[in-house]
């Protein structure tokens, strides 16, 4: 497979600034990566920035009677772990708490498990977080404080769905604001950890307790919602209020623990991407590091999903550390928490996280070992990262293609159907970019100001339906500065609250008006490739012998606002698919475009249909080529880097003060879309051609996994390196 990434011109411009060994912190914004935002250093104390390998012990209640403290201290030491997260309290206290209704482990006896673990980890020089989980409590607490308990819509206090001897707590009321504040104060005072890691802290769905009823009514004037419709005014107000309430909880806890240790922080465990119910910008602003809890694949999940999560977290965290929490067992609805998955599956999951800028964090449920087969595999990964730490730290991404994601689109347009209406579009583009080996990053749609997107040449908007007028102005300004935009389907047809407009807010940029009509489900529709009208168009690369390809499923009817010079793809309308005798096109050719291409100061491409979502559903090679070629058309310059060789590889590129590194994660595997991996299948050779300015000298090229140097061929500005073979992962380090 041959592919290309960002352009030679971009690399030459940025390298002229940075190529003399300048410290990465002093580099100007641009291709070299997102500049640290003001105050980043103050928000990132040493305990947060220094650890490169994290460990977590999530204790179960009977662990005090069984677990081997010496073993775990030895394992932390063997794996070179320099940060640790230890269970402390909430559902179960593993120390002699003095707080009423804070349930001690019945196996605790006179021990202080938290104290023993913290003391041992501090002796190893580790940063220490203590984990709390406030989502459930017991009968004594419920009897004394019934207002702490979550209430269902029918007015019934909520028993725990899995442990019926427990009660589910309300995440928005006094249990969190008062009781858990006292727990956090006690833990900070006794053990002086660097921070508190919060698990299941944000509630367990809608709550109808007296506090939620009263507080929501006071804030909004509404009673609590009884519908899930995101366009219902009450539901809309509740979504905003509950998010603000959770941020208030976070602020309350941070204020309390910082009275004890000014550098301490709450580290909220939360999701990622568009479907994250918490506001990623708000949580990112409040923490010196964030931990992405993507423990393992499940269902038909791609192996690059951990890398996607890394990109999403980096989009809002800037230069602050992003940590990838992975488990060692299966992650399925049946919750086999004491299971162990294959080392190959663990390895591919973590390697893709590393390649995309994460620091690893292994999570072990239960400190009692039921199965030890995972230990060596994690140790191998951690020792490799320690050996190559200089190449993995202080990195700036070299990607100049940005894939935009939008929480407001998921919240207020996608609603309960956000997977199908929002995420599947993004997943389609993600798969296409990975297959095309185009380095790219994720971009949060509320960070579209000039400084935040300065390094990007092309932004992709996969059905980013809900955009404010201000965001649309930012996209216009991006194109006016020479940036390129690729948009699909209903992008900008809704405002930031999810209310549908009469026309695209970006109609002037896209070059079309919406007619007010949509074909929501097209059957047996195709796209005609107009080879005769626009011969040898870049959109046809790899499709030179294809007269037509499959269409998408949903399409908006639009009218051009201008005459388009290029119309490479046109519509073949749907025709019957049964009976077989009737399967023939009624209309073989139209002048209805399926791709609108404009060239103001930047370039703009608009697909009025769901090509990206359809590609994710069917993985059509023809649609892959169209998506890839549209990016090449948008960038419209000689690629700065090219990759040639077989296989499915996730490619990322980084720069720090001493090297340019190219990660190649080999995803080629029959289990690529349904884990777990059983084994790895090597691919190669891979030829990498990289344009470098003549004044930037490469001292040597190293393969960090194979642990050897390889030959460099240089001809003018072109540097060529050949990687003979990749089993699971290789990193080409060009030392400069």
């Amino acid at each position: 497979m041959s592919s290309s990434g960002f352009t030679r011109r971009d690399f030459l411009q940025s390298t002229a600034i940075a190529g003399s060994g300048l410290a990465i912190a002093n580099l100007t914004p641009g291709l070299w990566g997102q500049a640290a935002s003001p105050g980043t250093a103050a928000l990132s104390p040493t305990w947060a920035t220094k650890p490169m390998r994290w460990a977590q012990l999530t204790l179960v209640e009977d662990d005090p009677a069984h677990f081997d403290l010496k073993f775990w201290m030895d394992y932390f030491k063997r794996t070179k772990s320099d940060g640790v997260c230890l269970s402390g309290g909430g559902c179960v206290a593993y120390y002699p708490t003095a707080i009423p209704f804070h349930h001690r482990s019945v196996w605790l006896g006179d021990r202080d498990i938290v104290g023993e673990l913290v003391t041992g980890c501090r002796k190893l020089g580790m940063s220490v977080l203590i984990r709390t989980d406030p989502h459930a409590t017991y009968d004594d607490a419920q009897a004394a404080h019934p207002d702490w308990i979550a209430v269902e819509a029918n007015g019934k206090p909520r028993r725990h769905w899995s442990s019926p001897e427990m009660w589910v707590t309300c995440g928005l009321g006094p249990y969190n604001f008062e009781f858990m504040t006292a727990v956090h104060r006690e833990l900070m005072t006794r053990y002086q950890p660097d921070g508190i890691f919060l698990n299941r802290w944000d509630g367990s769905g809608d709550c109808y307790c007296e506090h939620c009823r009263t507080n929501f009514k006071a804030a909004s004037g509404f009673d609590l919602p009884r519908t899930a419709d995101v366009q219902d005014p009450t539901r809309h107000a509740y979504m905003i209020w509950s998010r603000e309430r959770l941020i208030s909880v976070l602020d309350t806890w941070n204020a309390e623990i910082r009275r004890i240790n000014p550098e301490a922080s709450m580290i909220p465990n939360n999701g990622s991407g568009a479907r994250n119910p918490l506001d990623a910008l708000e949580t990112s602003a409040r923490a010196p590091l964030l931990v992405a809890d993507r423990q393992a694949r499940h269902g038909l999940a791609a192996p690059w999903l951990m890398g996607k999560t890394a990109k999403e977290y980096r989009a809002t965290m800037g230069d602050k550390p992003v940590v990838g929490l992975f488990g060692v067992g299966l992650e399925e609805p049946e919750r086999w928490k004491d299971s162990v998955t294959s080392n190959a599956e663990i390895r591919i999951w973590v390697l893709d996280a590393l390649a995309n800028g994460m620091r690893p964090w292994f999570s072990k449920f239960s400190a009692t070992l039921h199965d030890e087969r995972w230990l060596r595999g994690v140790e191998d990964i951690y020792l490799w990262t320690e050996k190559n730490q200089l190449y993995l730290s202080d990195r700036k991404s070299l990607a100049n293609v940005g894939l935009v994601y939008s929480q407001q689109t998921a919240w207020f347009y996608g609603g309960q159907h956000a997977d199908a209406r929002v995420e599947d579009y993004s997943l389609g583009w993600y798969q296409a970019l990975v297959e095309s080996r185009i380095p790219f990053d994720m971009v949060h749609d509320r960070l579209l100001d000039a400084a935040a997107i300065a390094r990007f040449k092309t932004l992709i908007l996969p059905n980013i339906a809900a955009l404010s007028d201000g965001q649309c102005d930012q996209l216009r300004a991006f194109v006016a500065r020479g940036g390129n935009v690729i948009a699909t389907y209903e992008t900008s047809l809704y405002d930031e609250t999810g209310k549908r407009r009469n026309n695209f807010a970006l109609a002037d940029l896209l070059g079309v008006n919406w007619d007010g009509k949509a074909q929501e489900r097209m059957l047996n529709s195709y796209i005609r490739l107009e080879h005769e009208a626009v011969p040898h168009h870049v959109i046809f690369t790899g499709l030179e012998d294809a007269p037509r390809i499959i269409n998408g499923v949903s399409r908006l009817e639009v009218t051009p606002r201008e005459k388009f010079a290029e119309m490479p793809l046109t519509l073949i309308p749907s025709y019957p698919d049964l009976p077989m005798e009737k399967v023939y096109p009624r209309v073989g050719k139209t002048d209805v475009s399926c791709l609108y291409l404009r060239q103001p100061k930047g370039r703009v491409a608009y697909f009025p249909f769901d090509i990206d979502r359809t590609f994710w559903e069917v993985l059509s090679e023809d649609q892959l080529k169209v998506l890839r070629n549209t990016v090449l058309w948008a960038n419209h310059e000689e690629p700065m880097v090219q990759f040639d060789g077989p296989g499915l590889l996730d490619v990322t590129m980084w720069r720090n003060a001493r090297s340019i590194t190219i990660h190649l994660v080999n995803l080629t595997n029959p289990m690529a879309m349904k884990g777990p991996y059983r084994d790895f299948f090597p691919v190669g050779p891979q030829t990498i051609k990289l344009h470098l300015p003549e004044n930037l000298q490469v001292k040597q090229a190293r393969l960090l996994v194979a642990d050897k140097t390889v030959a460099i061929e240089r001809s003018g500005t072109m540097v060529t390196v050949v990687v003979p073979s990749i089993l699971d992962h290789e990193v080409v380090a060009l030392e400069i």
Side-chain angles (χ1 to χ4, degrees), residues 151-372:
V151 174
E152 298 175 358
N154 60 11
K156 230 178 134 178
R158 189 176 177 192
R159 279 285 188 183
H160 198 280
W161 59 91
S162 183
S163 295
E165 75 279 9
M166 301 184 76
W167 298 88
V168 178
T169 59
C170 172
L172 305 178
Y175 186 85
N176 267 355
F177 277 96
E178 298 171 12
F179 175 78
M180 287 306 301
T181 300
V183 170
H184 294 146
R185 183 191 307 118
E186 184 178 62
L187 287 167
M188 289 296 301
T189 302
R190 283 176 180 248
Y191 305 110
Q192 296 292 313
D194 297 301
I196 304 290
F197 178 73
L198 300 168
N199 189 67
R200 289 188 177 272
W201 65 282
D202 53 349
S204 303
D206 292 354
C207 175
Y208 294 83
C209 74
E210 62 181 89
H211 298 289
C212 286
R213 292 199 311 269
T214 301
N215 291 332
F216 179 61
K217 181 82 169 181
S220 68
F222 293 118
D223 293 326
L224 289 166
R226 302 284 170 164
T227 175
D229 180 5
V230 296
Q231 285 307 303
D232 177 81
T234 304
R235 170 58 62 181
H236 193 98
Y238 180 80
M239 293 169 68
I240 296 171
W241 171 79
S242 60
R243 286 191 189 99
E244 292 175 347
R245 187 79 173 160
L246 286 170
I247 292 301
S248 181
V249 171
L250 199 58
D251 289 344
T252 297
W253 290 338
N254 266 324
E256 187 63 27
I257 70 171
R258 286 171 182 163
R259 291 191 184 100
I260 301 163
N261 177 0
E263 289 197 336
S265 182
M266 309 303 293
I267 307 298
N269 188 2
N270 55 276
S272 69
R275 294 170 299 166
N276 180 9
L278 291 169
D279 190 320
L281 298 186
E282 296 291 346
T283 53
S284 295
R286 285 165 168 77
L289 65 83
L290 280 181
V291 181
D293 189 349
R294 281 276 194 185
Q295 294 180 35
R297 291 197 288 166
H298 66 87
L300 299 177
W304 43 250
L305 194 59
M306 189 60 146
K308 178 175 181 287
T309 303
K311 285 179 163 74
E312 290 162 347
Y313 270 72
R314 288 194 291 105
T316 58
M317 284 293 284
D319 290 336
K320 293 187 287 188
V322 173
V323 185
L325 189 161
F326 66 95
V328 299
L330 277 73
E331 188 68 13
E332 298 292 347
E334 293 74 17
R335 303 276 290 174
W336 291 296
K337 300 311 295 182
D338 287 330
S339 64
V340 172
T341 192
S342 68
N343 269 305
E345 177 66 17
I346 295 171
R347 188 169 178 83
I348 199 66
W349 197 240
V350 181
L351 292 177
D352 206 60
L354 291 171
N356 281 279
M358 278 181 166
R359 305 177 185 195
W361 167 314
F362 78 79
S363 175
K364 175 63 177 71
F365 282 89
S366 177
T368 302
L369 284 170
H370 300 285
D371 190 332
E372 299 185 7

Side-chain angles (χ1 to χ4, degrees), residues 55-123:
Q56 178 179 349
L57 283 185
T58 304
L59 303 179
V60 297
E61 188 162 2
D62 71 343
D63 272 336
H66 303 292
F67 91 108
D68 185 342
L69 177 66
K70 183 178 181 303
F71 168 83
W72 287 109
M73 294 301 109
D74 178 65
Y75 190 67
F76 295 162
K77 185 176 181 179
R78 289 201 333 257
T79 55
K80 309 291 186 182
S81 295
D82 44 9
V84 68
C85 181
L86 305 166
S87 289
C91 287
V92 177
Y94 296 97
Y95 67 100
T97 177
I99 298 173
F101 310 112
H102 193 200
H103 175 80
R104 295 191 196 189
S105 164
V106 298
W107 282 268
L108 187 65
D110 59 359
R111 293 183 69 181
D112 180 356
I113 298 300
V114 177
E116 294 173 24
L117 284 165
V118 170
T119 298
C121 292
R122 289 300 196 193
K123 287 181 179 178

Side-chain angles (χ1 to χ4, degrees), residues 33-34 40 72 101 116 185 232 298 307 321 346 364 384 471 525 547 571 650 663 671 675 689 713 716 719 729:
Q34 183 176 343
T40 292
W72 287 109
F101 310 112
E116 294 173 24
R185 183 191 307 118
D232 177 81
H298 66 87
I346 295 171
K364 175 63 177 71
W384 182 85
Q471 289 169 310
S525 177
L571 175 69
D650 191 0
H663 286 250
M671 308 300 285
K689 294 183 177 181
E713 179 183 326
V719 172
H729 180 219

